[in-house]
Amino acid sequence: MNLYRRGLKLGSAVLLTSVLVTGLGIGQLPQAQAASGTAKVTASQTFITGDQFYQAMKQAATEAGGSFTMPEVSSNRVLRSQAAVLLQQWLGLEDAAESFSDVPDQAAYAGAVGAVKKAGLMKGYSDTSFLPGAPLTADDLERLHDRVVSYLAPFILPEATISKLQLAMEQGKITSKQLVQMYLDRIDKYDDQGISLQAVLSVNPDALSIAEALDQERAEKGPRGPLHGIPILVKDNFDTADMPTTAGCLCLKESIPPQDADQIAKLKEAGAIILGKTNLHEFAFGITTSSSLGGQTKNPYALDHYPGGSSGGTGAAIAANFAAAGLGTDTGGSIRIPSSFNSLVGIRPTIGLSSRDGIIPLALTQDVGGPIARTVEDAAILLDATVGYDPDDVATAYSVGRIPASYTDFLDVNGLKGARIGVATELFQENNDQEKAVTEVVSNAVKELEALGATVVNIKIPNLEEIMKYPSLSGYEFKFQLNDYLEELGDKAPYHSLAEIIASGEYDKSQEQSMKAREARETLDTQEYKDIVLKRTSLTRDSLLKVMADYKLDAIVYPTSTQPPALIGEGQSSGNNNRLSPFSGFPAITVPAGFTKDGLPVGIEFLGRAFDEGTLIKLAYSYEQGTHHRHAPALTP
């Protein structure tokens, strides 16, 4: 219900005194309890006194470096409505509308309740119940203290989550335009100069004006959602109609597609700002992220090491806080490997959950696009914005009816309690020191899963050896699907076929043999290709589903990569673990598991059933919140 119109003020000392003295009756609980499922305040809980409330808020102001002007509160208990009014007056919050059914329209404190809810300081016990007459409890006060500290603290960009960025914009600490400029400054400082990560290929020349327009829209209409005004970096194989889309190749350096990729269009519709395009292993061929257009991207945790690939530019950029989050693509392991190598969260969604239309293909049988972020929550927010049916990608028809209202609903800190996790022991390797270092970290992560409430079961995946003998289809499909993509560019396409690109010489010469081998393939109408598509897929799916059913598993875990980032110039291997997801089409999420003794990031991967991203997010979030292994690279403070 709209209890107070915007603009009404509660500044009157008489009104404040009235609310503090009368409330709904000092120390009395409201007569009507909240609807079914609402948390209730009980007599057994510890209620805080007025002085305790005053001292806690004073301490919060001191911790945040803010001023404190709240009058002393002398009462044996503080009602939630009283706390709302006191906070509003102290912090100068404007009245705001709220929708709690237990806050009467005529209540003097209604505008204050709306104000503190809008500011993120006090929330209801449910969407409809605030319990204004309930005494503030010790638990309430602890949460309120932390929120007030966060509210008063100056805005700090590095490691800021999407929700914190939104809160800072809502509080007026920063605008989207200022946020864009701060990220551009970091790109200039650490990517173009200084340590020169070489992660970003191009920046959007219109990013600041887009942000300014979104700031105006926020002021007039409010935010569209959690991505409103949030800068995002995307791998440069996603079509962007306002910037070149190059796949890292000199041959496409001026190629501007006629329209945005479906996922890019969805992000823009959600209010996100495409800040720029990131480097990748040219045409997504490899896992070290080197291209003729962008050169060699470096790992921000160790500049002489690879960042993973093929989405290594996005991985290095998001790890170094060049944007709030990013998009990568994954044909074999190209989201998950760079996420692992940069202490990030990466989601490879179920094939068909998100559209591939407008992504330069490598092998559509295996290709997906998905989020790369610093937290599971941010990855879930990005996934929400990019999933759904697209008539231009028939595979997405399988997602209809299988997408939840929001993947953020699965962010359960206790999500591992009672979960059954299968540990694929055969995927832990110890053939050399690098593999042993990874196994040590992920083995410890398995112990942490157990400590967080999961039942851990050692498993063997049926037919694993046979599954791993199958090749990736990128060597088969690339030529034909790239040619189709170039044809769709129309007359503006700089080249019209892989053959023309090879003839031009405008590509990374280290990939010449791979490109020529793909060009030499004459047709996909072969028994060999058909056997791989049909038999490999069914064998992998059946084997994974059987072991999960036999052991009643919620997910299977294993090292994302069997080796950590290698030294630039040396060979980089990731093992075959990443094949299970693309071969089956099932989703997988990688989460930071810690660091080797040499300080190199390591990830643990959770694999689940088709369209069960929600479960994987729940498990990964619980693990992330229970361990907090990620830390920002020291080289990009």
Side-chain angles (χ1 to χ4, degrees), residues 491-506:
D491 295 336
K492 293 184 179 180
Y495 298 99
H496 297 88
S497 68
L498 177 59
E500 288 187 13
I501 291 174
I502 293 173
S504 75
E506 290 190 304

Side-chain angles (χ1 to χ4, degrees), residues 20 128 163-164 167 200 227 260 307 322 351-352 355 385 391 411 557 573:
L20 291 180
T128 59
S163 61
K164 287 183 178 179
L167 183 59
V200 179
L227 285 173
D260 289 328
F322 292 170
I351 290 179
S355 175
L411 299 172
V557 298
S573 174

Side-chain angles (χ1 to χ4, degrees), residues 236-498:
D236 200 14
N237 57 352
F238 283 85
D239 279 353
T240 46
D242 48 0
M243 286 181 282
T245 300
T246 71
C249 185
L250 284 168
C251 62
L252 298 177
K253 63 182 177 181
E254 296 178 356
S255 178
I256 300 180
Q259 63 184 31
D260 289 328
D262 183 76
Q263 292 196 44
I264 299 300
K266 283 184 166 73
L267 283 177
K268 289 182 177 179
E269 185 179 353
I273 300 166
I274 308 304
L275 184 63
K277 310 290 288 290
T278 56
N279 196 24
L280 64 153
H281 201 107
E282 189 159 322
F283 283 113
F285 273 18
I287 61 171
T288 58
T289 303
S290 178
S291 71
S292 59
L293 189 61
Q296 175 64 62
T297 299
K298 303 168 188 174
N299 190 311
Y301 289 92
L303 298 179
D304 54 349
H305 286 65
Y306 293 117
S310 62
S311 310
T314 302
I318 301 309
N321 286 273
F322 292 170
L327 286 185
T329 63
D330 192 313
T331 305
S334 293
I335 286 174
R336 294 160 293 149
I337 295 170
S339 295
S340 173
F341 284 10
N342 290 279
S343 196
L344 297 170
V345 176
I347 299 178
R348 178 190 161 91
T350 305
I351 290 179
L353 184 67
S354 308
S355 175
R356 287 85 52 83
D357 184 61
I359 297 175
I360 298 178
L362 180 57
L364 283 173
T365 301
Q366 300 172 198
D367 287 350
V368 295
I372 295 177
R374 289 183 291 272
T375 68
V376 175
E377 180 182 4
D378 286 355
I381 290 171
L382 214 55
L383 191 65
D384 271 342
T386 51
V387 301
Y389 175 64
D390 175 14
D392 293 321
D393 183 356
V394 66
T396 57
Y398 290 98
S399 72
V400 175
R402 298 182 174 185
I403 300 174
S406 174
Y407 288 104
T408 61
D409 292 340
F410 293 89
L411 299 172
D412 181 2
V413 71
N414 296 313
L416 281 166
K417 291 183 178 179
R420 289 182 61 84
I421 307 294
V423 181
T425 54
E426 294 169 289
L427 300 181
F428 289 67
Q429 303 296 319
E430 294 190 359
N431 298 312
N432 53 52
D433 290 342
Q434 290 76 26
E435 290 182 347
K436 289 178 181 177
V438 168
T439 292
E440 181 179 352
V441 173
V442 181
S443 295
N444 181 68
V446 170
K447 294 177 183 177
E448 292 172 327
L449 291 173
E450 202 164 17
L452 290 167
T455 297
V456 172
V457 183
N458 290 337
I459 63 168
K460 289 190 175 182
I461 297 170
N463 308 305
L464 182 63
E465 185 175 350
E466 183 179 355
I467 291 169
M468 294 305 186
K469 286 180 180 178
Y470 280 105
S472 170
L473 288 173
S474 62
Y476 293 77
E477 298 179 1
F478 175 71
K479 165 189 171 178
F480 307 101
Q481 294 167 0
L482 176 67
N483 289 351
D484 289 342
Y485 169 84
L486 294 171
E487 182 179 353
E488 290 176 1
L489 291 178
D491 295 336
K492 293 184 179 180
Y495 298 99
H496 297 88
S497 68
L498 177 59

